[in-house]
Amino acid sequence: MSNIKHVAVIMDGNGRWAKRRFRPRVWGHVRGSSVVSDIVKAADDVGLKSLTLYAFSTENWSRPAEEVSTLFTILKKFLLKEKAKILANNIKFKVIGQIQNLPQATVSLIRDVEALTENATGLYLTFAFSYGGRAEILSSINHFIEKNPGQQITEKDLSAALYRPESGDVDLLIRTGGEQRISNFLLWQIAYAELYFSPTKWPDFTATEFKKIIDDVSIRERRFGNVCSQVGLEEATRQAASGKTTYLQGNTLNV
Ligand code: FPP
């Protein structure tokens, strides 16, 4: 059983993918939305607890109006098309972010799918839409202060006050498209996440690559700030002796 329970994905590279094909950027988003269905299914297949997808950041509002409204339309169409499948697969759906400025019909549809899946017990599927990590942290702190005036906030309190606390910390953050940035995504939740940057542009990303990344990362040793396990130390010492790898400092290995 994999130790990866929560995967978050920055779905990047749609615009470049389309440009390379002499198509408008929005073409890349349209193609990218069908990949979303494949990845949700793959996440369910491999038994993840949570999948969080970055579909639209607070910064994306400054893109051309046509691109912004196409992204709203894509979200709406996705939900209309996938609603039955989401329900059939016992998926618990939620959108995190400041969605009040989206078209009213889209907001209603989001609220409808959220309500219909409220008691689902399967995959927590989250779309981050009009989302920013710093805004989430600030809003969570302010929410806490409002409810607990004069009280100091702890890490546990803040984790519990996030937009979707039940998803938990991120174990693996994948970014497609070749860039190596976090872009204000789930800043609090990724504190100990493994990071994986794929050169594949999102419209070319597949369930096979997704599952392979999870498999590859599952065998990485996650130490959460601690020193490595004895087995890891012995193995690394052996590798160091063979001149292969790593960095030994006293009895602590920095790998
Ligand atoms: C980044 O690529 C991608 C986005 C800003 C939008 C991501 C949206 C989708 C994958 C489709 C939405 C799907 C649903 C179901 C909501 P970019 O445009 O920044 O690409 P670039 O870096 O190549 O310019």
Side-chain angles (χ1 to χ4, degrees), residues 8-221:
V9 187
I10 302 176
M11 307 181 287
D12 195 20
N14 294 346
R16 282 165 288 157
W17 183 92
K19 199 172 162 204
R20 208 171 271 179
R21 286 157 182 80
F22 306 102
R23 299 277 195 161
R25 291 176 53 79
V26 292
W27 181 253
H29 298 318
V30 172
R31 288 295 289 263
S33 67
S34 59
V35 177
V36 172
S37 319
D38 298 342
I39 299 308
V40 171
K41 182 175 182 310
D44 213 11
D45 288 348
V46 300
L48 290 187
K49 179 179 163 232
S50 308
L51 176 69
T52 306
L53 302 174
Y54 206 3
F56 189 85
S57 70
T58 42
E59 291 72 28
N60 290 154
W61 282 101
S62 56
R63 292 193 174 198
E66 190 216 353
E67 184 173 344
V68 170
S69 70
T70 303
L71 282 164
F72 299 161
T73 307
I74 289 173
L75 173 63
K76 190 168 145 208
K77 283 195 171 164
F78 177 91
L79 288 178
L80 288 171
K81 186 166 155 268
E82 301 288 322
K83 186 171 154 181
K85 227 190 279 173
I86 289 174
L87 292 172
N89 290 312
N90 195 24
I91 290 172
K92 197 168 160 73
F93 176 78
K94 189 174 169 85
V95 171
I96 55 170
Q98 314 289 326
I99 58 167
Q100 63 276 9
N101 293 329
L102 266 59
Q104 203 42 54
T106 309
V107 176
S108 302
L109 181 60
I110 291 169
R111 297 299 178 224
D112 176 45
V113 180
E114 286 177 346
L116 285 170
T117 63
E118 199 181 348
N119 297 318
T121 53
L123 177 75
Y124 292 128
L125 173 62
T126 308
F127 284 177
F129 211 96
S130 186
Y131 171 89
R134 287 182 175 178
E136 179 181 23
I137 294 170
L138 283 179
S139 141
S140 308
I141 293 173
N142 286 328
H143 190 243
F144 178 86
I145 292 172
E146 218 175 278
K147 292 203 148 181
N148 306 277
Q151 202 173 306
Q152 283 212 339
I153 186 165
T154 64
E155 286 194 12
K156 202 168 159 213
D157 295 328
L158 181 44
S159 294
L162 294 169
Y163 292 152
R164 196 164 201 194
E166 65 274 27
S167 284
D169 278 351
V170 173
D171 299 303
L172 166 62
L173 172 67
I174 300 171
R175 182 181 187 130
T176 64
E179 308 284 356
Q180 304 194 358
R181 283 190 294 274
I182 302 300
S183 299
N184 199 17
F185 189 36
L186 302 176
L187 297 179
W188 181 263
Q189 297 89 328
I190 62 165
Y192 285 101
E194 294 289 326
L195 306 180
Y196 192 99
F197 299 102
S198 165
T200 308
K201 298 195 176 46
W202 180 255
D204 285 333
F205 196 65
T206 60
T208 308
E209 181 173 355
F210 180 72
K211 289 178 183 173
K212 183 170 186 320
I213 293 169
I214 294 176
D215 281 349
D216 290 352
V217 171
S218 294
I219 57 172
R220 288 187 196 168
E221 189 195 15

